[in-house]
Amino acid sequence: MGKNVNEMSFLDHLEDLRWHLIRATGSVVLVGTFAFIFSRSIFKYIIFAPLDMSFPTYSFLCKASQFLGVDTSFCNEELPMIIQSRTMAGQFSADIWTSIFAGFIIAFPYVIYQMWKFISPGMRDNERKHSRGFIIISSLLFFTGVLFGYYIVCPLSINFLANYNISEVVDNQIDISSYIALVRSTALASGLVFELPIIIYFLTKVGLATPQGLKKYRKYALVIVLILSAIITPPDIASQIIVAIPILILYQVSIFISKIVLKNQKKKALKNG
């Protein structure tokens, strides 16, 4: 029989954490191995898909631009760039790292489950009961963020950077590691950003976040979001708004969640008092 969480020493907690991390890492490696086996399809249908101007995002934005009577690079026949590998191990490294990231993304629910298994013994029964949907909600938010990054942020960034030109004498011959890093980082970063409501939930539980504090710093959050949107998207208002709106909605949802957490805590305090 395992030890009660109150009877566990600091070293016992570290040992417990170590095994949860091992299981989480093992799941990433296992799924990553399968991703490596099918990596040719992953590269063809996912990684390199935004290079084709028939990509859904380009097609939608092209039709929208034509409807508004605006000239745009989204209607071009092809992107003015070439992907190439400049090092001996360039393609192999790209294959390995892409498989690892694919493993993490696909295995994310199990990784979150292992984190939950580690922190849940320290929670009260009623807290555990009200947090049963944690894994499902956090996974849905993460996958939604990944899709948002892949279908919105990634193609907007690729299209802008591929068409950006300081001189006609410069050709865009992009190294494969640079291109894949862009796809990976935008998808993964967006997935993690969409975890904001979950993060605020736990910060509120431990007293590090309050609805009043989140409202107070909302204007600063708005400025930060707009700056990030300007950095990762083309320099036009429409693209920046497309990226900024979901993040601002998540921030507002986080304030609402923080209110609910504090309300429940006050009810429990009155009941116990």
Side-chain angles (χ1 to χ4, degrees):
M1 183 180 292
K3 293 182 178 180
N4 184 285
V5 67
N6 296 320
E7 300 173 352
M8 294 174 66
S9 66
F10 177 71
L11 291 178
D12 289 330
H13 281 293
L14 285 180
E15 178 67 12
D16 188 36
L17 175 61
R18 185 174 75 90
W19 279 107
H20 286 297
L21 291 175
I22 288 174
R23 294 187 189 101
T25 303
S27 68
V28 173
V29 171
L30 179 62
V31 177
T33 300
F34 280 98
F36 182 78
I37 294 173
F38 297 100
S39 63
R40 298 298 179 273
S41 296
I42 291 175
F43 276 100
K44 181 179 180 180
Y45 297 110
I46 299 177
I47 302 298
F48 293 141
L51 293 175
D52 192 332
M53 293 307 295
S54 63
F55 193 70
T57 306
Y58 301 143
S59 298
F60 173 78
L61 292 174
C62 176
K63 291 177 181 177
S65 300
Q66 290 175 340
F67 177 78
L68 296 172
V70 178
D71 291 330
T72 176
S73 59
F74 295 117
C75 295
N76 293 346
E77 293 184 2
E78 61 180 18
L79 289 170
M81 61 184 288
I82 298 173
I83 304 296
Q84 57 185 358
S85 177
R86 297 177 181 272
T87 60
M88 287 294 293
Q91 296 194 56
F92 179 72
S93 296
D95 208 353
I96 293 294
W97 281 108
T98 298
S99 298
I100 292 174
F101 275 86
F104 175 77
I105 290 173
I106 297 171
F108 183 80
Y110 185 77
V111 173
I112 286 292
Y113 170 73
Q114 288 301 321
M115 291 177 57
W116 175 249
K117 289 287 286 183
F118 175 70
I119 64 175
S120 60
M123 301 177 71
R124 298 186 182 91
D125 290 338
N126 59 336
E127 291 177 332
R128 219 177 291 134
K129 179 182 177 181
H130 288 101
S131 303
R132 283 176 181 170
F134 167 73
I135 298 170
I136 296 174
I137 294 172
S138 60
S139 297
L140 287 175
L141 285 171
F142 178 75
F143 290 134
T144 302
V146 168
L147 291 174
F148 175 79
Y150 178 71
Y151 281 104
I152 305 298
V153 182
C154 183
L156 288 176
S157 301
I158 290 173
N159 184 271
F160 169 66
L161 295 173
N163 285 283
Y164 191 87
N165 193 318
I166 58 173
S167 172
E168 301 238 343
V169 302
V170 181
D171 291 329
N172 281 331
Q173 299 180 6
I174 312 300
D175 189 77
I176 188 173
S177 62
S178 176
Y179 171 78
I180 294 177
L182 174 64
V183 177
R184 284 196 311 240
S185 61
T186 52
L188 190 58
S190 297
L192 296 177
V193 166
F194 271 57
E195 292 294 303
L196 181 62
I198 299 294
I199 295 171
I200 294 300
Y201 171 82
F202 283 104
L203 289 178
T204 304
K205 291 285 285 184
V206 298
L208 295 178
T210 63
Q212 294 76 19
L214 292 171
K215 287 180 180 178
K216 179 181 178 181
Y217 293 105
R218 179 162 45 192
K219 57 184 178 181
Y220 302 108
L222 173 61
V223 173
I224 293 172
V225 168
L226 291 176
I227 291 174
L228 289 175
S229 300
I231 292 173
I232 64 178
T233 61
D236 63 86
I237 300 298
S239 298
Q240 293 171 20
I241 291 176
I242 288 173
V243 173
I245 285 178
I247 300 176
L248 294 175
I249 291 174
L250 285 171
Y251 192 86
Q252 192 61 41
V253 169
S254 299
I255 295 175
F256 179 70
I257 290 173
S258 185
K259 284 182 179 179
I260 293 176
V261 172
L262 282 184
K263 185 178 179 181
N264 290 337
Q265 287 180 339
K266 287 178 181 179
K267 283 183 178 179
K268 290 174 188 175
L270 290 172
K271 186 178 179 180
N272 294 332

